[in-house]
């Protein structure tokens, strides 16, 4: 059996009484107190997440932008300094190898953040696709820790955290999907570089902090101490999953896979089809998808929630399912069951009534626009 990896914050999680789970080969905190309490804390105040299991690839060189234009679905060369952008790594057939966030430091240095479970696949794809480009790619995952502060109080918490100095932009002026450069000084230590992205995966305002792994425990302690009076709590993967579901954000292995092309998952806008060439372009052009299942939201009444893998029918007495749930839960914020599912286009119009088979009982569900939850700005 392969031993699970742990992050630089593992001792902190144990001290906080966390329960753990295997996530992408990493032993990660799934909860510290209760899923509901951590979920509500993020919606009303803030949650502190360790997401250091995510993979970071530094792409450097005079052709960094051109390489990413070829390797990813989007047009990354058009980004400006300190901008972040969501994109996709496609295979030759247009299937999704991974979804990523790209940060541009400058035209010759960008960072690609991939999912932990797809680190090897992305590394392999980048190695193959970089052969004709003047670019160096460094898998820096083992050296970078990633901590996220998510929730309406997140900006106030960062501003109250001692040791965060030399910000290149005031947090109040930092727009969504932009990043600032800063340094963090632990007590008695020299400041170290830190990148602050106004990004996240919860549907709330928040920040993702990239720092060298050895400095992450001191940063975690400082954030927690500064944030506790403002309602900050450590939050695990269970809360992260219900938060992202409410926000309609796809999760690789559920809504995204090599068997799904971007348009099916509502991500057609991510693909820059007018680029001269990129991996997956010819595959996407060959795909005929008028009847391919598409991703929809489903909302139910009551308390019984559909889960991933549950069948979806178009009638209470239908024998053959028309679709399948990819993610589902009783929404802590909305108070009723929600789910995402792939269904035929003919059954995807908002307002359509479908039925989820919940352990032998057909539960009515209404097709709903995504996201289920949108924060007030």
């Amino acid at each position: 059996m392969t031993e699970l990896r742990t992050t630089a914050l593992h001792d902190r999680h144990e001290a906080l009484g966390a329960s753990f789970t295997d996530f992408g080969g990493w032993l990660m905190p799934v909860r510290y107190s209760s899923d509901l309490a951590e979920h509500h804390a993020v919606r009303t105040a803030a949650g502190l997440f360790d997401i250091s299991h995510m993979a970071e690839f530094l792409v450097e060189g005079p052709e960094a932008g051109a390489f990413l234009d070829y390797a990813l679905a989007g047009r990354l060369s058009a980004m400006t300094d300190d901008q972040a952008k969501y994109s996709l790594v496609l295979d030759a057939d247009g299937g999704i190898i991974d979804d990523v966030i790209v940060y541009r430091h400058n035209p010759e240095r960008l960072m690609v953040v991939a999912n932990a479970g797809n680190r090897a696949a992305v590394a392999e794809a980048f190695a193959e696709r970089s052969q004709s480009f003047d670019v160096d790619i460094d898998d820096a995952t083992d050296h970078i820790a990633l901590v996220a502060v998510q929730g309406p109080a997140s900006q106030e918490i960062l501003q109250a955290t001692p040791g965060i100095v030399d910000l290149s932009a005031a947090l109040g002026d930092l727009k969504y999907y932009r990043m600032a450069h800063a340094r963090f000084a632990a007590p008695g230590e020299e400041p170290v570089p830190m990148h602050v992205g106004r990004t996240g995966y919860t549907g709330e305002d928040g920040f993702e902090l990239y720092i060298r792994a050895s400095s992450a425990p001191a940063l975690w302690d400082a954030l927690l101490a500064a944030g506790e009076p403002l309602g900050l709590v450590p939050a695990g993967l269970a809360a992260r999953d219900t938060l992202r579901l409410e926000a309609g954000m796809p999760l690789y292995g559920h809504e995204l896979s090599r068997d799904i092309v971007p348009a099916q998952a509502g991500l057609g806008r991510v693909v820059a089809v007018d680029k001269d060439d990129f991996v997956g372009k010819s595959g996407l052009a060959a795909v005929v998808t008028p009847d391919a299942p598409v991703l929809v939201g489903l909302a139910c009444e009551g308390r019984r929630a559909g889960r991933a893998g549950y069948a979806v029918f178009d009638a209470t007495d239908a024998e053959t399912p028309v679709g399948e749930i990819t993610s589902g839960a009783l929404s802590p914020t909305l108070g009723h069951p929600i789910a995402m599912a792939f269904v035929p286009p003919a059954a995807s119009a908002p307002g359509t009534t479908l039925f989820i088979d919940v352990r032998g009982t057909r539960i009515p569900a209404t097709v709903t626009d995504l996201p289920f939850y949108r924060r007030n700005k």
Side-chain angles (χ1 to χ4, degrees):
M1 176 182 293
T2 303
E3 185 174 351
L4 296 176
R5 303 187 62 191
T6 57
T7 75
L9 296 167
H10 187 73
D11 289 348
R12 264 50 177 188
H13 305 321
E14 287 190 323
L16 289 166
S19 301
F20 292 92
T21 188
D22 176 358
F23 194 88
W26 293 74
L27 189 62
M28 298 301 296
V30 66
R31 69 182 61 81
Y32 301 84
S33 55
S34 81
D35 302 350
L36 280 178
E38 293 167 20
H39 181 110
H40 288 308
V42 174
R43 289 280 181 253
T44 59
L48 182 61
F49 298 87
D50 175 16
I51 47 176
S52 301
H53 59 307
M54 302 291 282
E56 291 88 10
F57 296 90
L58 298 177
V59 181
E60 297 181 274
E63 294 188 304
F67 159 70
L68 290 174
D69 280 353
Y70 176 69
L72 303 181
R75 190 182 298 279
L76 292 310
S77 62
M79 296 172 67
T80 57
D81 290 355
D82 297 336
Q83 181 183 359
K85 190 168 186 175
Y86 179 82
S87 195
L88 299 168
V89 186
L90 303 179
D91 63 21
D93 297 324
I96 300 170
I97 294 176
D98 199 13
D99 61 332
V100 299
I101 293 181
V102 182
Y103 293 88
R104 172 166 141 160
H105 295 187
N106 59 58
E108 296 190 10
R109 179 183 171 88
L110 298 95
M111 181 173 70
V112 180
V113 184
N115 286 293
N118 291 328
R119 176 183 176 183
V122 172
E124 180 181 1
F126 280 5
E128 293 175 352
R129 299 171 190 189
S130 62
Q131 297 298 315
S132 302
F133 294 91
D134 185 2
V135 67
D136 292 321
I137 301 170
D138 177 26
D139 182 346
T141 306
D142 293 340
H143 311 296
I144 297 177
L146 176 52
V147 175
V149 183
Q150 296 281 298
S154 56
Q155 179 180 319
E156 188 177 2
I157 289 168
L158 260 65
Q159 290 170 331
T161 301
I164 297 179
V165 297
D166 300 335
L167 275 160
S168 62
L171 293 177
D173 297 332
L174 196 63
K175 298 184 182 301
Y176 190 50
Y177 264 65
R178 293 283 174 173
M179 65 179 290
H181 305 276
R183 294 196 297 165
F184 173 72
E189 297 185 7
E190 292 295 318
V192 298
M194 183 172 73
H195 299 140
V196 181
R198 196 155 206 162
T199 51
Y201 193 56
T202 63
E204 292 298 334
D205 185 20
F207 300 88
E208 295 186 315
L209 312 178
Y210 296 84
I211 194 169
R212 71 184 187 187
S214 60
S215 297
L219 175 63
W220 176 275
D221 293 344
L223 289 166
L224 205 53
E228 279 182 341
L230 299 169
L232 177 71
V233 302
L237 293 179
R240 190 172 172 83
D241 193 49
T242 49
L243 289 159
R244 71 94 191 166
L245 173 59
E246 289 180 349
M249 296 177 169
L251 176 64
Y252 200 89
H254 290 250
E255 287 75 37
L256 307 177
S257 75
R258 290 181 185 249
D259 296 325
I260 299 295
V261 298
Q264 289 180 263
L267 297 174
R269 69 188 185 284
V270 176
V271 183
V273 294
D274 59 337
K275 288 193 299 185
D276 289 339
D277 191 22
F278 61 93
V279 178
K281 182 171 184 176
S282 59
L284 289 174
V287 172
V288 179
T289 60
D291 299 321
V294 294
L295 188 67
V296 299
L298 295 175
C300 304
E301 296 181 352
R303 309 293 290 179
R304 302 184 67 184
R307 305 292 182 181
Y310 284 16
V312 179
F313 295 85
D314 60 3
T316 55
D317 57 352
E319 295 183 358
T320 303
V322 297
E324 182 176 300
I325 287 179
T326 51
S327 299
L330 177 62
S331 166
T333 303
L334 304 174
H336 61 76
I338 58 174
M340 290 194 277
F342 280 102
V343 303
S348 67
T352 302
T353 299
L354 299 173
F355 299 87
I356 301 171
D357 190 304
V358 180
R359 298 178 180 176
T361 301
R362 302 281 174 95
I363 305 295
T366 302
V367 175
T368 307
D369 287 331
L370 295 171
F372 300 102
Y373 165 86
R374 195 185 302 272
R375 70 183 170 92
N376 294 322
K377 299 182 180 179

